[in-house]
Amino acid sequence: MNVSTENRLLLCIAGLMLLDATIGGAVASHLLTNLDERSLRSFDTAVAFEFFHALGLIGIVLVADRIGATLWLRAAAWLIVAGVVLFCGSIAFVTFGAPRAVLSVAPYGGVALMAAWLAFAIGVWRRPA
């Protein structure tokens, strides 16, 4: 896959994440009335993280287009995708009835998100002259 195709794919993924987060926010405010406060707060956190990181993914792709899609920037983008799936996805699945054991992958997602932003910082700092 060439960089342009990869960037288009990542932008499409970001758009789908934003759609999913928008739906999640609507579901939380209109349909999840039976959740306890802690569960609702966790779901709201997952929705917010998905929104912010989807927007961040768009930013990473645009920066990569502008300064060059280095290995660090490409890694940052895919770590965002993995982090959102693992962190936000596990919380959403448990909210909708999956076994609580699914939450065991959430910390890996959180670490992936942190690693993504570190990779982004390194990628921007070490960009080719």
Side-chain angles (χ1 to χ4, degrees), residues 4 14 22 37 39 44 48 75 84 106 108:
S4 176
T22 302
E37 183 65 31
S39 296
D44 284 342
V84 165
Y108 297 105

Side-chain angles (χ1 to χ4, degrees), residues 2-116:
N2 66 41
V3 172
S4 176
T5 302
E6 183 180 31
N7 285 351
R8 282 193 355 249
L9 174 61
L10 287 164
L11 289 172
C12 287
I13 291 170
L16 293 172
M17 286 178 180
L18 289 166
L19 171 64
D20 184 59
T22 302
I23 292 168
V27 167
S29 65
H30 298 292
L31 299 176
L32 297 180
T33 56
N34 62 331
L35 289 183
D36 61 83
E37 183 65 31
R38 183 172 183 238
S39 296
L40 186 58
R41 191 171 51 249
S42 290
F43 186 75
D44 284 342
T45 297
V47 168
F49 267 55
E50 188 170 9
F51 264 121
F52 293 133
H53 287 90
L55 294 172
L57 178 57
I58 292 169
I60 291 169
V61 171
L62 294 178
V63 167
D65 266 351
R66 172 119 176 143
I67 70 172
T70 65
L71 180 62
W72 286 104
L73 293 176
R74 293 173 68 211
W78 287 109
L79 283 165
I80 291 283
V81 173
V84 165
V85 168
L86 294 174
F87 181 78
C88 304
S90 65
I91 293 170
F93 280 129
V94 169
T95 299
F96 293 106
R100 291 198 60 80
V102 171
L103 285 177
S104 66
V105 301
Y108 297 105
V111 169
L113 294 171
M114 290 178 232

